């Protein structure tokens, strides 16, 4: 027996497969809510109490240690080679200086497990944002201006995520942490 579909009104389109609507594009922007923001606020409260928060007892957290160590799989070039290979030689002097400042900043808080967690959150955020936002643009062969625009966007988004920002990270500190990630084999500025 055949059942006809004529004269059925479902209040819209009834599709038994994929319906493609080329007339409009929907853009979804995700805002950071909860999660890192709430955790950062709690960590800041601990840091404001005595400048240290929870003591680290001379040990770095495993997650922070991951970012402090150069990875041995994948791209093991140093920061200088990565910058040269991506046509960013003019950044070499500033990048080396900012990377060193980032390292010293991490070491300044080595006795604070609380501050280590803040650094881990920031490094993790920068790494993920770079991987998901900048790397695809690089892989598509975009020009330097487009790549730098994406880098600027992730730096600003990370800075905005910091909220009260008790450790007083500015955009150049975050840029230094990007160079730190590059120097420790976590990110690159050229195609894979």
């Amino acid at each position: 027996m055949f059942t006809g579909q004529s004269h059925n009104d479902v209040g819209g389109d009834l599709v038994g497969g994929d319906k493609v609507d080329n007339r409009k594009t929907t853009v979804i922007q995700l805002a950071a809510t909860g999660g890192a923001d709430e955790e950062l606020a709690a960590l800041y409260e601990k840091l404001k109490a005595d400048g240290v928060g929870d003591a680290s007892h001379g040990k770095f957290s495993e997650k922070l240690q991951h970012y402090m160590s150069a990875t041995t799989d994948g791209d093991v070039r140093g920061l200088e080679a990565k910058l040269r290979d991506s046509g960013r030689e003019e950044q070499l002097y500033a990048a080396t200086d900012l990377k060193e400042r980032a390292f010293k900043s991490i070491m300044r808080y080595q006795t604070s497990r609380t501050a280590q967690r803040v650094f881990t959150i920031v490094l993790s955020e920068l790494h993920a944002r770079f991987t998901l936002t900048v790397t695809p643009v690089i892989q598509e062969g975009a020009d330097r201006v487009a790549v730098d625009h994406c880098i600027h966007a992730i730096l600003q988004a990370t800075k905005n995520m910091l909220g009260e920002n008790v450790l007083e990270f500015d955009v150049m500190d975050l840029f230094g942490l990007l160079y730190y990630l590059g120097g420790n084999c976590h990110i690159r500025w050229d195609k894979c």
Side-chain angles (χ1 to χ4, degrees):
M1 176 179 194
F2 176 76
T3 303
Q5 296 297 314
S6 61
H7 307 295
N8 286 342
D9 184 9
V10 294
D13 296 331
L14 179 63
V15 178
D18 293 335
K19 178 184 178 201
V20 178
D21 184 353
N22 292 325
R23 294 174 295 159
K24 60 183 174 182
T25 301
T26 303
V27 177
I28 299 172
Q29 291 183 315
L30 301 176
T33 58
D37 296 346
E38 291 175 6
E39 184 178 2
L40 284 170
L43 293 168
Y44 292 158
E45 286 305 313
K46 288 181 179 183
L47 286 170
K48 286 190 302 187
D50 64 1
V52 177
D54 298 329
S56 68
H57 305 293
K59 297 177 91 175
F60 277 98
S61 73
E62 283 186 38
K63 288 185 178 185
L64 182 56
Q65 187 63 46
H66 168 74
Y67 289 116
M68 295 180 71
S69 304
T71 61
T72 55
D73 58 341
D75 187 359
V76 295
R77 294 174 297 159
L79 180 61
E80 181 176 346
K82 287 179 181 178
L83 292 174
R84 288 191 194 287
D85 292 348
S86 63
R88 295 171 177 272
E89 296 89 357
E90 83 286 353
Q91 291 182 353
L92 191 53
Y93 177 76
T96 304
D97 180 57
L98 288 170
K99 178 188 170 213
E100 181 68 21
R101 284 178 32 195
F103 174 74
K104 287 179 179 177
S105 184
I106 292 169
M107 296 309 293
R108 183 177 319 118
Y109 291 102
Q110 65 185 319
T111 60
S112 171
R113 184 166 178 75
T114 305
Q116 287 181 28
R117 182 63 188 147
V118 172
F119 274 99
T120 302
I121 291 168
V122 173
L123 286 164
S124 180
E125 228 13 76
L126 287 170
H127 188 200
R129 288 177 193 261
F130 193 96
T131 300
L132 296 172
T133 306
V134 180
T135 300
V137 173
I138 292 169
Q139 290 302 111
E140 288 177 355
D143 66 13
R144 168 84 181 264
V145 173
V147 172
D148 286 352
H149 179 75
C150 288
I151 291 170
H152 181 262
I154 69 166
L155 292 172
Q156 288 299 320
T158 304
K159 185 173 184 320
N160 292 341
M161 176 204 74
L162 291 173
E164 189 177 352
N165 195 6
V166 171
L167 296 182
E168 299 179 349
F169 290 110
D170 61 30
V171 174
M172 292 308 287
D173 295 325
L174 298 176
F175 209 15
L177 289 169
L178 265 186
Y179 287 129
Y180 186 77
L181 288 170
N184 287 349
C185 305
H186 296 283
I187 63 170
R188 60 190 294 158
W189 293 269
D190 58 341
K191 283 186 175 186
C192 297

